[in-house]
């Protein structure tokens, strides 16, 4: 019995040594992928690519993402490098309770999102991007010893140099954003518009079995006067808002594929929704138009009973679809507008578009109680672009 046990131990030891040798050649199982390939977006401050990398640690060891490089796949030039606090700022975790400083440490079996915002040359964007990620495996005992200051200098050096570099996930770059006419005329504030940190940009949802950011490039358009107010008189009345009842225009020729017209309006205010907010009511009354080539224009929060079109209607560019209102998940009259690759607000992927406008200022929310503050500046003309978050823009009349 004793001899048999000893032989078994030797055999197990050999297997174990072989397995270790094999493991040394197999990189750690970490998935990183781009759910939606980026399209070049143009703004008054240059062109950019806004997309995400989803990083999933499929090993049994926590892995800290230390560095991320975005590389032009053709020239091998590094387009963007993120590390330290700059990397932490663009990372998020599905579990919001993970502290900001711990976002880069991806536990066994867990996922992180990296929100990328990559400046590019509008005329010569990379055709494909490659991603290089540097991880530090976190063996629990060594990490704790270093943290408590008990580790020897050698142990500390081993932790810092034990880095894993993974390269892969080549994503194509779509060069041409869909060209549209603006959904409204005149001057508007582009609240919650494209930025790397807006609420629209960071709403990742898994619906229909896959993740998507339908609102990646969504904008809440509203109108303000010269002192930044969006209303006159009593702010609890929808009709006192400057933009209330504005005609919403078809941004391209298309076919109406989805409408809702029966949700009552909210009294303006942070918490005064007229109906419980769920998947059916979140966008309020709305219109979706198929504008061709797998692209859809979506208009949300419109006035009940104001729809001028029905599902199946063919619409022409500039045609009035509905009137701006305050229904669904909305605090005051505005239009939530987005272009996406599907007719749903949340389960399709938001994409940028190209339209003409002038940037005439910037707006924000400040003070107590919070109030809109806008600063005007000389106009900058943008041809074939999309407004950035909180810009004050003027569309052609
Ligand atoms: Zn919105």
């Amino acid at each position: 019995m004793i001899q048999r046990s000893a032989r078994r131990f030797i055999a197990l030891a050999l297997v174990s040594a072989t397995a270790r040798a094999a493991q040394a050649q197999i990189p750690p199982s970490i998935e990183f992928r781009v759910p939606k390939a980026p399209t070049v977006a143009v703004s008054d401050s240059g062109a950019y690519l806004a997309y995400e990398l989803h990083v999933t640690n499929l090993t049994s060891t926590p892995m800290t993402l230390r560095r991320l490089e975005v590389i032009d796949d053709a020239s091998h030039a590094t387009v963007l490098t993120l590390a330290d606090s700059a990397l932490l700022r663009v990372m998020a975790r599905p579990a919001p309770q993970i502290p900001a400083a711990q976002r880069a440490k991806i536990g066994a079996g867990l996922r992180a999102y990296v929100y990328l915002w990559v400046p590019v040359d509008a005329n010569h964007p990379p055709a494909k991007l490659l991603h290089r990620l540097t991880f530090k495996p976190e063996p629990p005992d060594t990490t704790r010893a270093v943290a408590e200051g008990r580790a020897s200098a050698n142990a500390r050096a081993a932790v810092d140099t034990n880095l894993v570099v993974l390269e892969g996930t080549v994503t194509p770059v779509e060069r041409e954003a869909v060209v549209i006419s603006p959904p409204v005329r005149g001057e508007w504030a582009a609240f919650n518009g494209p930025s790397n940190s807006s609420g629209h940009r960071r709403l990742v949802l898994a619906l229909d079995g896959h993740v998507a950011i339908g609102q990646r490039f969504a904008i809440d358009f509203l109108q303000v006067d010269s002192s930044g107010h969006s209303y006159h008189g009593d702010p609890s009345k929808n009709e006192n808002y400057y933009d209330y009842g504005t005609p919403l225009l078809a941004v391209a020729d298309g076919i109406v594929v989805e409408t809702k017209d029966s949700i009552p309006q909210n009294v303006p205010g942070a918490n005064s929704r007229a109906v419980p907010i769920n998947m059916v009511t979140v966008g309020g009354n709305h219109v979706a138009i198929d504008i061709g080539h797998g692209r859809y224009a979506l208009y949300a929060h419109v006035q009940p009973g104001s729809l001028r079109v029905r599902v199946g209607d063919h619409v022409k560019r500039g045609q009035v679809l509905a009137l701006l209102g305050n229904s669904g998940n909305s605090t005051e009259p505005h239009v939530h507008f987005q272009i996406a690759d599907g007719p749903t607000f949340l389960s399709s992927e938001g994409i940028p578009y190209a339209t003409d406008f002038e940037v005439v200022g910037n707006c924000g929310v400040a003070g107590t109680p919070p109030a809109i503050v806008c600063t005007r500046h000389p106009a900058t003309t943008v041809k074939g672009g999309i407004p950035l978050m909180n810009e004050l823009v003027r569309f052609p009349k």
Side-chain angles (χ1 to χ4, degrees):
M1 287 292 287
I2 291 169
Q3 282 203 333
R4 269 168 61 189
S5 289
R7 275 199 304 274
R8 210 169 137 214
F9 171 75
I10 291 165
L12 284 171
L14 285 172
V15 168
S16 180
T18 310
R20 274 202 301 275
Q23 279 173 357
Q25 295 165 19
I26 300 173
S29 186
I30 300 174
E31 183 201 49
F32 46 105
R33 66 188 186 89
V34 174
K36 178 66 179 176
T39 300
V40 176
V42 172
S43 75
D44 62 323
S45 52
Y48 61 92
L49 304 169
Y51 67 102
E52 303 78 45
L53 200 62
H54 287 206
V55 184
T56 307
N57 177 6
L58 300 172
T59 76
S60 55
T61 303
M63 295 278 178
T64 296
L65 180 58
R66 295 275 292 262
R67 184 180 175 90
L68 167 60
E69 291 154 275
V70 180
I71 297 161
D72 183 329
D73 192 49
S75 67
H76 299 288
T78 301
V79 183
L80 180 73
T81 300
L82 294 167
D84 302 323
S85 59
L87 180 58
L88 282 177
R89 273 197 298 278
V90 300
M91 288 189 73
R93 305 294 299 277
Q97 66 271 25
I98 293 175
Q102 294 287 312
R103 276 179 203 152
K105 183 177 176 180
I106 308 169
L110 298 183
R111 177 179 291 197
Y113 311 133
V114 186
Y115 293 92
L116 288 162
W117 185 281
V118 182
V120 293
D121 180 339
N123 298 315
H124 305 285
K128 290 179 183 174
L129 295 173
L130 168 73
H131 298 84
R132 183 187 296 145
L133 280 64
T134 302
F135 291 94
K136 187 182 80 168
E138 303 272 9
D141 291 339
T142 315
T143 307
R144 197 177 307 126
V146 171
E148 293 170 5
R150 290 188 282 102
S152 67
N154 282 348
R156 207 172 290 130
V159 169
D160 283 343
T161 57
N162 185 23
L163 299 176
V164 175
V165 180
L166 301 177
E167 216 171 75
T169 306
V170 174
T171 183
V173 172
E174 176 65 46
R175 223 180 136 151
E176 303 293 335
V178 56
V179 176
I180 63 166
S181 296
V184 283
R185 296 195 181 100
E187 192 175 291
W188 295 79
F191 275 99
N192 305 317
S195 86
N196 209 22
S197 58
S198 82
H200 284 149
R201 166 88 173 98
R202 295 210 171 191
L203 184 61
V204 179
L205 289 173
L207 303 166
D208 309 331
H210 62 88
V211 291
I213 303 182
Q215 311 185 46
R216 189 178 284 107
F217 292 91
I219 297 176
D220 293 326
F221 286 111
L222 60 85
Q223 286 188 306
V224 292
D225 62 21
S226 56
S227 53
H229 292 126
S230 54
Y231 59 88
H232 56 86
D234 182 353
S236 70
K237 291 186 179 349
N238 283 315
E239 53 272 28
N240 285 351
Y241 287 74
Y242 297 118
D243 56 11
Y244 185 71
T246 298
L248 303 176
L249 311 173
V251 294
D253 295 354
I255 301 170
V256 178
V257 290
E258 159 88 17
T259 62
K260 186 95 192 156
D261 200 20
S262 58
I263 297 173
Q265 294 199 103
N266 306 321
V267 172
N271 301 304
S272 51
R273 308 292 190 273
V275 293
I277 299 305
N278 55 38
M279 286 297 291
V280 174
T281 61
V282 65
N285 304 306
H286 59 267
V287 189
I289 310 173
D290 179 349
I291 57 172
H293 306 287
R295 287 136 170 179
Y296 297 79
L298 298 112
Y299 309 69
H301 312 304
V302 307
Q303 284 183 28
S306 76
L307 258 63
R308 307 282 172 84
V309 292
R310 289 187 296 193
V311 171
D313 283 0
H314 288 249
V315 296
K316 286 284 179 197
R317 184 183 292 255
Q319 184 176 330
V320 176
L321 304 172
L323 303 181
L324 185 149
N326 183 23
S327 59
N329 192 25
S330 169
T331 55
E332 67 175 79
H334 74 283
V335 59
H336 168 114
F337 176 76
Q338 69 186 58
I339 302 281
D341 67 1
T344 59
F345 287 100
L346 300 174
S347 63
S348 50
E349 292 279 20
I351 51 179
Y353 48 87
T355 194
D356 297 344
F357 58 94
E358 291 177 317
V359 181
V360 297
N362 276 285
C363 300
V365 176
T368 313
I372 297 169
V373 180
C374 298
T375 312
R376 284 164 188 278
H377 57 61
T380 306
T381 299
V382 178
K383 292 282 182 194
I386 174 170
L388 292 172
M389 182 167 80
N390 298 352
E391 281 183 338
L392 194 60
V393 298
R394 193 184 297 142
F395 293 118
K397 288 273 185 190

